[in-house]
Structure formats: structure tokens, C-alpha cells
């Protein structure tokens, strides 16, 4: 029971006019518009929960500067609620009291509440949060509902504050004059004031659960509820929504629609889920790096909604999402129930912390991408209360934001933890990419950590090293392009989004592990993705890796029936031409070269008619390019070379057949046509076929080919 010696003394001194003048100097910020609804206070349970939150995040002072003592025991709550709106009110009240902790303590001392009253230490936190709300209501009496459950500690503190109403208002006015501020709001650090200004306009982001509903169905559902689709929700007071430019499944709503949105079925049935945009950017970056059967490892996820979003994006793949750091197995049933409601089926929970997981863990052999969301200062977040509720961050997060900054020592501790986690992620040899994302704007937590990890990465393994890769997200403005020139993706805090930093590290591709098109098609066929599609056989076998084992194999012939018929036809006609030439003339072996020259000269002077044994089909057919050099061939007879000039006259200029001919046919094809080039100053001998001068092993030509071609025939020999 509170014992106030001054309660009766000040109870009769209330002057409405004085109170009205003093309360005009409101503590909160003086920004409330005339049309804003009048505040009537909170339920008793909200005060109790806010006091317990404040007890855990309050700023502790040295013994010399302690003005008010706080107890260590939390207050007992009789109606603990899991409702998110209840928690939001409690966190907002505790965070507001934390920002003004020094001012509120000074007012309590100046108004003689301390030490003139005997107040138990465990109620000090409750007095602080209720005093903030009391001045925010301009010291007006709280309106109580009939069915509200009252708490005795709250009623006692409220009676005490009402009895010191005038003294509290006077102390508030003196504090404003002392700091020469237009309002007490301006006593706050500039960074905190800018943060509050951004938070007042920061829109809401929610991603669509495509396992339950399609984007078109969401649009239609919202339109039936009076929401209109626009390009931007900024400075719009109506019921509107927009689609995010970076993430196709993320919708944007004005902040003033929060209470209306949380009560519609789309959010109650987990078809739309509130999430900070930085987390959606992270999971979409991972999705862009995945193949069909790649697994993902998520580290320091914070909110389970981030895990669910990653699962929904990979629902059509065979990927698994591993989540580490769930130390309490008692949470498993609740998490599984939540994931079942959201339609997630590919999530596996690991109870080890990330640092304690071995890089060669057999469960993670298919993990190709690691998503690292390390604990950070969060100095890029404009609305820390919403971020804590959505991302389940530690309440210490609020303490840093209440002062508009973070100490250098704490920043170095966070940066070291981030560096250790990133280097550990780079040790997973099977992983091919690491996505590093923070909600901070401090370079010490972002660029410095990534560059240091790349510089000192372990190069002793046989895997390829990591390198910095460009952002995989679309750059939607000139400012984003300028901020991403060094391959980092950044978003500065603004009135439309929180600050964000994102980096993608990928391994350099090992040339020895390059996957061929044939391997990709074979893998797809094995999974049944190419039903009804026939894959053509390769015409060559791939070369082996070592040069010492390189060997040329026989080219596979085509299964086309037309090509086989053409090959048989050519073979048959070549034999027929050879037999016909034997019956016409048979020169002696010493006169072989002379006869060849004479035939060549006659071909140049007179255009001979095609031999009747050669079909007209040869006019559109040319010998094919051999795909590999023969290891052995049949030495053609002199008679074959004598007759070979006749078909070549028709197929000038020489080209190559588009189909593969059998090896046996090529060895029997006449070779004298290699000299039938009309204007070339040099003997144009294709490198793919042997020349007559080399047809006999070790035999040298008897005279110059060029001179023999230009010499007139000597018929008298």
C-alpha cells in the first residue's frame, strides 16, 4: 500500500485553469493534430506488461547518479494476453517511457513524489510508464470500462499520480524552460526525433502466401473490401495498397490501416503476413540463386515468418529449408503447428547453434545457399516496436534505439560476432553462395565485415574461393543504382522503408566441374521433367580431362535411313566407275603420273560431260567433312585415282556434305579431284584428305605439281 504524506496536502489545491495552462506543454511531442482522438488511457494489464518490459530494458546508471531505485522482481499479471494488439500497446508504452526516462525521473524528484512517499522499489517501473501516459493525456482522469479487470497496484499508483497532479504539471513546465525547448519533445536527440518522424509515415509490408491464395485472388478480395490498387501509398489516407517493385509477392499498405487489416480474414488465415521488407529482400535474393534441388540453411532468422516465406518461395522445388538455433525442443510442436497452418512442408529444425554445426555435417550436404541474418544494431529501423513484434528481436534492441545510437564498444562486439558467423558460413564446402543481410546502416557491421571475411578466407581447401557478386535484385531507381556501384545492395532509411544492407557472396565456378548441356538434360529427364521429349544422341564423346589419355574414337553414324541409303548408293556407284575405267584403259605403272597430268590438262581445256555411271544426284551432293582423322585406311588403287576426275567437274566449287559418311566409303572415294582447282596459284589440298603424293608411305613426288598442271600434254610419250 502506498503511503503518501502529501496526498491530502495537494488534493485541495487543484485549479483547473492552472492545470490547463501547465498541461499545454505536453511532454510527448506537441505534434498531435486537432482532429486526433482524445486519449483515454490503457487497461490495467497493459500498464503491468509495459512496466515489466521497461524493467528489463531501462538504462542503468552508476551508483552516484541513481535517483530512483528499481526492483528486480516483475509484477504479476493476472490477464496475460497473447493478442498482438495487446503486446503492441505494451511495447509502445514501454519504449516511450524509455526514451523519456531521464526526464520522467527528474519530474518525479522535482514534484516531491520521491522521496516524500514510501514507494516499494518493484513499483518504480510501473510509476514511470503510468506517468508518461498521464502527461500524454494532459493529466486528465483515465476512463475505465465497466467490464475491465482492475489490478490493485495500478489503482494505487494512479491515485498517487492524481494527488500530485499540479506539482507534476509544474515540474514538466520547468523542465521545458530549463532546456529552452518549444516542447519537451525537442529535448530528445535529433536522431530519435527523425526516427519518430519516419516511423509516423512508414507503410506496412505484407507478403502473399502463394500456397494458400494467388496474388490475383488477394487483389480481388481487397477490392471487394474497398481497397484500391495504386502505384504508391505515400501520403494517401484512403484504403489503398500497392505492389512492391523489388518483390512481386509483397504488398504495401498505409500505416494508419493496421488496425483494420489485422481483423480481416486474409491476415487471420495466414494468407497475408506482415513482414519487414528487408527480410523479404533477403529470401528473394536466396531464391534467385537456387536450382531445383538445392537446400538452404537459415541462420538467426528471428521471426518464423521469414522461415515460412523462404519455404513458400521454394514450395515447387525439391529443396529443404534448414533452420538452426532453436535450442528448446519444447517449441517444436508450436512451430510445426504454425508451419502447418501456413502451408509449409519443407522445413527442418536444427537445435544446434550455427557456430557449433560442423561444416561437413551429413544433413547439410545438399545445402547450396546460406542465408545469414546476424543480430545487429538495427540503426536503420525507423519503427523498432513494429520490428520487434514482427521479427522477434531481443528487447535490448529497444535500448539502443531509445538513445539514437549505440556505443562503440557494443558495436565492435556485434561486428566481431557477425564476422565469426560469416567466416563459419564460408567453411561449408558444398555451399556455393552466402547471402548476408542486416537492417543496419553502420559500415562497421556491413561492408567492413564482408570485405574482411573475403580477405582472410581460408584458401587451403580444394574448393574455389568466394567473391563478391552484384545484387540479384532489380534496381528500381537511380539512387539504388548509385548505392550499388560497389556490388552491395543498400537502402537508406526513409519515409517509405527501413534501412537495409545486403551482400551476395558466390564461389568462382570450377572449370573442371562445369556442367554440360547433356548432363542438365539427363538430370531433367531422370526427374521426369522431359516427358514426351526425345533427346538426341551426341555425335562425339566428350574429351577426357587428362591430355595423356586423349584418344579419338570412331564417330557415331546417324540413324537416318536416308543417309544410309545415300552412303550405299555412293559406294555402289564408285565401284561401278572403277570397274568401267579398267575396261577402257589400263596404262602401265611408270606412266601413271604422265597420264594424270594429261587428263588434268584436258580437263582444263575442254569441259568433259559427266560419266553416265554418275547419277545426277551428285550435283547437289558434296563429300562430308570428316569428323576425325582416320587411324588407318585402305590404299586406293591407281585405277581409282585415274577415274576420280570425272565426278569432280560437276561439284565445283568444292563444299562438304552435311551428313556423315561411313569411314569405308571415304577411303575409297577418288582423290584426283584434289588437283581440279582452276585458278589457284597453289595446289589447294584440303587438310582433311590425303594427297596423292602422300598416298604411298614414304614416297616423294617426282616433280612439282604446279608445273605439271601447267605443262601441255605430251601425247607422243
Amino acid at each position: 500500500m502506498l503511503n503518501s504524506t502529501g496526498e491530502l496536502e495537494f488534493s485541495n489545491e487543484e485549479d483547473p485553469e492552472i492545470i490547463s495552462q501547465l498541461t499545454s506543454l505536453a511532454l510527448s511531442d506537441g505534434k498531435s493534430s486537432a482532429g486526433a482522438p482524445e486519449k483515454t488511457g490503457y487497461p490495467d494489464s497493459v500498464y503491468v506488461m509495459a512496466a515489466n518490459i521497461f524493467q528489463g530494458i531501462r538504462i542503468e546508471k552508476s551508483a552516484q547518479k541513481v535517483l530512483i531505485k528499481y526492483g528486480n522482481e516483475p509484477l504479476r499479471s493476472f490477464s496475460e494476453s497473447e493478442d498482438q494488439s495487446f503486446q503492441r500497446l505494451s511495447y509502445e508504452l514501454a519504449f516511450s517511457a524509455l526514451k523519456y526516462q531521464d526526464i520522467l525521473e527528474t519530474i518525479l524528484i522535482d514534484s516531491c513524489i520521491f522521496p516524500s512517499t514510501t514507494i516499494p522499489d518493484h513499483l518504480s517501473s510501473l510509476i514511470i510508464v503510468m506517468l508518461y501516459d498521464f502527461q500524454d493525456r494532459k493529466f486528465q482522469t483515465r476512463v475505465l470500462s465497466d467490464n475491465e479487470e482492475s489490478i490493485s497496484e495500478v489503482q494505487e499508483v494512479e491515485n498517487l499520480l492524481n494527488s500530485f497532479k499540479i506539482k507534476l504539471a509544474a515540474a514538466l513546465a520547468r523542465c521545458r524552460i530549463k532546456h529552452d525547448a518549444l516542447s519537451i519533445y525537442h529535448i530528445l536527440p535529433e536522431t530519435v526525433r527523425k526516427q519518430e518522424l519516419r516511423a509516423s509515415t512508414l507503410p506496412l509490408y505484407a507478403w502473399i502466401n502463394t500456397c494458400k491464395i494467388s496474388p490475383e485472388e488477394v487483389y480481388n478480395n481487397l477490392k471487394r473490401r474497398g481497397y484500391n490498387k495504386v502505384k504508391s501509398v505515400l501520403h494517401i489516407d484512403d484504403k489503398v495498397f500497392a505492389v512492391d517493385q523489388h518483390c512481386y509477392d509483397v504488398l504495401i499498405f498505409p500505416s494508419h490501416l493496421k488496425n483494420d487489416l489485422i481483423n480481416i480474414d486474409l491476415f487471420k488465415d495466414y494468407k497475408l503476413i506482415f513482414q519487414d521488407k528487408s527480410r523479404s529482400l533477403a529470401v528473394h535474393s536466396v531464391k534467385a540463386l537456387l536450382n531445383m534441388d538445392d537446400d538452404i540453411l537459415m541462420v538467426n532468422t528471428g521471426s518464423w515468418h521469414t522461415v515460412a516465406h523462404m519455404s513458400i518461395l521454394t514450395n515447387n522445388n525439391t529443396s529443404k529449408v534448414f533452420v538452426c538455433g532453436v535450442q528448446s525442443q519444447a517449441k517444436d510442436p508450436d512451430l510445426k503447428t504454425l508451419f502447418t497452418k501456413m502451408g509449409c512442408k519443407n522445413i527442418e529444425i536444427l537445435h544446434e547453434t550455427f557456430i557449433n554445426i560442423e561444416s561437413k555435417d551429413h544433413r547439410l550436404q545438399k545445402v547450396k545457399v546460406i542465408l545469414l541474418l546476424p543480430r545487429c544494431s538495427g540503426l536503420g529501423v525507423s519503427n523498432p516496436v513494429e520490428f520487434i513484434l514482427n521479427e522477434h528481436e531481443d528487447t535490448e534492441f529497444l535500448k539502443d534505439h531509445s538513445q539514437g545510437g549505440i556505443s562503440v564498444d557494443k558495436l565492435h562486439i556485434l561486428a566481431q560476432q557477425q564476422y565469426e558467423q560469416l567466416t563459419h558460413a564460408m567453411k561449408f564446402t558444398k555451399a556455393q553462395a552466402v547471402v548476408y543481410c542486416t537492417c543496419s546502416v553502420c559500415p562497421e557491421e556491413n561492408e567492413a565485415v564482408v570485405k574482411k571475411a573475403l580477405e582472410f578466407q581460408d584458401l587451403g581447401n580444394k574448393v574455389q574461393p568466394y567473391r563478391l557478386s552484384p545484387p540479384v535484385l532489380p534496381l528500381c531507381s537511380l539512387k539504388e543504382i548509385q548505392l550499388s556501384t560497389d556490388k552491395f545492395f543498400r537502402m537508406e532509411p526513409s519515409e517509405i522503408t527501413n534501412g537495409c544492407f545486403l551482400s551476395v557472396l558466390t564461389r568462382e565456378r570450377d572449370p573442371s566441374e562445369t556442367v554440360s548441356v547433356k548432363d542438365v538434360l539427363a538430370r531433367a529427364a531422370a526427374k521426369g521433367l522431359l516427358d514426351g521429349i526425345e533427346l538426341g544422341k551426341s555425335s562425339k564423346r566428350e574429351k577426357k580431362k587428362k591430355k595423356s589419355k586423349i584418344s579419338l574414337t570412331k564417330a557415331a553414324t546417324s540413324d537416318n535411313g536416308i543417309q544410309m541409303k545415300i552412303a550405299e548408293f555412293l559406294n555402289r556407284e564408285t565401284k561401278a566407275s572403277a570397274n568401267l575405267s579398267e575396261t577402257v584403259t589400263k596404262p602401265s605403272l611408270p606412266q601413271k603420273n604422265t597420264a594424270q597430268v594429261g587428263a588434268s590438262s584436258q580437263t582444263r581445256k575442254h569441259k568433259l560431260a559427266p560419266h553416265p555411271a554418275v547419277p545426277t544426284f551428285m550435283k547437289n551432293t558434296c563429300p562430308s567433312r570428316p569428323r576425325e582423322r582416320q587411324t588407318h585406311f585402305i590404299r586406293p588403287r591407281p585405277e581409282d585415282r585415274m577415274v576420280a576426275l570425272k565426278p569432280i567437274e560437276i561439284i565445283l566449287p568444292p563444299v562438304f556434305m552435311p551428313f556423315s559418311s561411313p569411314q569405308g566409303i571415304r577411303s575409297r572415294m577418288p582423290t584426283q579431284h584434289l588437283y581440279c582447282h582452276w585458278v589457284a596459284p597453289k595446289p589447294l589440298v584440303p587438310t582433311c584428305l590425303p594427297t596423292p603424293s602422300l598416298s604411298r608411305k614414304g614416297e616423294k613426288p617426282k616433280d612439282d605439281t604446279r608445273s605439271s598442271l601447267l605443262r601441255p600434254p605430251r601425247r607422243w610419250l
Side-chain angles (χ1 to χ4, degrees), residues 331-345:
K331 295 182 179 180
D332 287 0
D334 296 336
L335 293 178
K336 291 180 180 178
T337 301
L338 174 63
F339 293 147
T340 301
K341 291 180 180 179
M342 302 182 73
C344 305
K345 301 178 181 179

Side-chain angles (χ1 to χ4, degrees), residues 195-212:
Q195 172 184 297
E196 288 191 358
L197 183 61
R198 291 194 303 266
S200 63
T201 61
L202 190 67
L204 306 171
Y205 291 85
W207 53 272
I208 302 173
N209 186 348
T210 53
C211 282
K212 287 179 168 288

Side-chain angles (χ1 to χ4, degrees), residues 30 45 105 432 564 623 656 686:
S45 55
E105 290 178 350
Q432 297 298 315
M564 295 298 297
F656 297 100

Side-chain angles (χ1 to χ4, degrees), residues 166-346:
I166 296 178
K167 283 189 171 289
L168 289 172
L172 175 60
R174 287 192 294 270
C175 183
R176 195 272 302 171
I177 296 172
K178 178 181 177 180
H179 290 86
D180 193 20
L182 296 176
S183 67
I184 297 300
Y185 165 76
H186 292 88
I187 300 177
L188 293 176
E190 183 179 1
T191 53
V192 177
R193 286 187 276 120
K194 288 183 177 180
Q195 172 184 297
E196 288 191 358
L197 183 61
R198 291 194 303 266
S200 63
T201 61
L202 190 67
L204 306 171
Y205 291 85
W207 53 272
I208 302 173
N209 186 348
T210 53
C211 282
K212 287 179 168 288
I213 193 171
S214 66
E216 290 73 16
E217 291 175 333
V218 173
Y219 303 157
N220 295 332
N221 191 310
L222 291 173
K223 289 179 181 179
R224 288 194 299 268
R225 295 178 178 273
Y227 287 82
N228 297 319
K229 185 177 179 181
V230 295
K231 292 184 178 180
S232 175
V233 300
L234 192 62
H235 305 306
I236 299 180
D237 296 331
D238 297 332
K239 298 174 68 173
V240 295
F241 70 94
V243 180
D244 185 69
Q245 293 179 326
H246 299 94
C247 307
Y248 62 88
D249 62 342
V250 174
L251 301 184
I252 312 173
F253 299 90
S255 58
H256 68 273
L257 298 176
K258 183 65 177 276
N259 293 332
D260 181 60
L261 291 172
I262 60 178
N263 294 321
I264 65 177
D265 295 337
L266 289 175
F267 286 90
K268 290 182 178 180
D269 298 336
Y270 296 101
K271 296 178 180 178
L272 278 176
I273 296 94
F274 286 117
Q275 185 89 54
D276 185 72
K277 182 178 177 178
S278 63
R279 299 312 192 225
S280 297
L281 292 173
V283 296
H284 274 274
S285 297
V286 173
K287 178 64 170 62
L289 299 168
L290 290 176
N291 291 323
M292 289 294 293
D293 56 349
D294 293 344
D295 291 346
I296 308 107
L297 176 61
M298 301 185 67
V299 183
N300 295 343
T301 55
S303 172
W304 297 114
H305 292 170
T306 308
V307 180
H309 197 183
M310 187 77 263
S311 173
I312 297 301
L313 288 179
T314 58
N315 185 59
N316 294 329
N317 301 0
T318 57
S319 304
K320 290 183 180 180
V321 180
F322 292 93
V323 186
C324 61
V326 184
Q327 299 180 4
S328 176
Q329 296 186 6
K331 295 182 179 180
D332 287 0
D334 296 336
L335 293 178
K336 291 180 180 178
T337 301
L338 174 63
F339 293 147
T340 301
K341 291 180 180 179
M342 302 182 73
C344 305
K345 301 178 181 179
N346 58 345

Side-chain angles (χ1 to χ4, degrees), residues 82-99:
E82 298 296 332
D83 183 64
Q84 190 176 14
S85 61
F86 175 90
Q87 295 180 4
R88 180 176 291 101
L89 293 175
S90 301
Y91 273 98
E92 287 177 349
L93 181 57
F95 181 61
S96 298
L98 181 64
K99 289 186 293 184

